[in-house]
Amino acid sequence: MKLTVIAATGGIGRHLVAQAVTAGHDVTAVARRPRELPTDVRAVAVDLTRPDLPTLTSAVRGADAVLSALGPRNPRAEAGVTSQGTRAIIAAMRAADARRIIIVSAAPVGPVPVPGRAEPPRHDPGDGFFMRHLGAPLTHAVFSRHYADLAVTEQLLRDSDLEWTVSRPPKLTDKPLTGRYRTALNRNIRGGFSVPRADVAHHMLAMIGQPHTVKQIIGIAS
């Protein structure tokens, strides 16, 4: 397949590129600093904080799927980059007539309201007592702006005509790929507190061939 990976040099993006190449896919990798990318991919330089729409459109044209690992390197200082970049990705995909997109969000986003939309449930249905009463309030207090931006990002996809899927992992780690993780449709994973970035990438690639994940939010955790 022809795949376009957005934020290809980031924590999840580099795993997406490596695993996709190993699987034999034709990869176009979009990054702010493409010199960090391997030589066996088509590298495209795009800064998603100031998107060049024609270049981004060229990068997604002909893609069977777009995989976006876009997110701030510092969630407390760079909130806003994910929704801004995703708006540009959606516009580029429409211009290029590309349809399938899978993005990374975060497990705590479910209860975050979006301005102008109906209030979401108070808790994610997959969260247990600890997450509802201790874990979620703490993470929201620290990363509230980042999660608000991710909630807007998810709503942009819902409002689009694309074949989207949102992956919601909890705390990300740099442990090696295991291929063993739990997933759930439209809910977080009970007792799932972390997951390797490599496993998130593995699952994103797997979902390309899973029609039941289209227009769904998928929880993932170890």
Side-chain angles (χ1 to χ4, degrees), residues 36-205:
E36 300 175 12
L37 291 164
T39 58
D40 49 358
V41 302
R42 176 194 173 207
V44 178
V46 177
D47 182 349
L48 270 300
T49 65
R50 299 183 297 275
D52 178 339
L53 190 57
T55 301
L56 191 56
T57 300
S58 174
V60 302
R61 181 169 286 116
D64 295 300
V66 175
L67 302 157
S68 176
L70 182 62
R73 293 185 181 272
N74 183 343
R76 299 182 68 179
E78 300 175 332
V81 65
T82 310
S83 62
Q84 179 180 334
T86 301
R87 282 190 181 92
I89 295 167
I90 291 171
M93 290 181 67
R94 284 173 171 162
D97 199 26
R99 300 290 304 159
R100 186 75 170 106
I101 179 170
I102 301 171
I103 75 158
V104 177
S105 182
V109 170
V112 177
V114 176
R117 302 289 175 176
E119 288 291 316
R122 185 175 178 183
H123 304 290
D124 185 279
D127 286 344
F129 180 87
F130 175 83
M131 286 303 298
R132 290 187 180 199
H133 298 285
L134 295 173
L138 178 61
T139 57
H140 280 282
V142 176
F143 299 114
S144 58
R145 292 179 60 220
H146 173 52
Y147 293 141
D149 188 58
L150 289 178
V152 170
T153 299
E154 292 186 8
Q155 191 62 50
L156 290 170
L157 290 175
R158 292 189 193 97
D159 291 342
S160 77
D161 56 355
L162 301 179
E163 297 173 358
W164 57 267
T165 302
V166 172
S167 175
R168 281 188 185 166
K171 179 182 177 181
L172 297 167
T173 75
D174 287 324
K175 293 180 180 180
L177 174 68
T178 69
R180 299 185 301 274
Y181 43 80
R182 296 174 289 156
T183 63
L185 194 65
N186 294 313
R187 64 178 58 223
N188 291 336
I189 307 298
R190 184 66 60 92
F193 301 113
S194 66
V195 66
R197 290 177 173 86
D199 278 344
V200 175
H202 184 272
H203 185 236
M204 290 175 71
L205 288 165

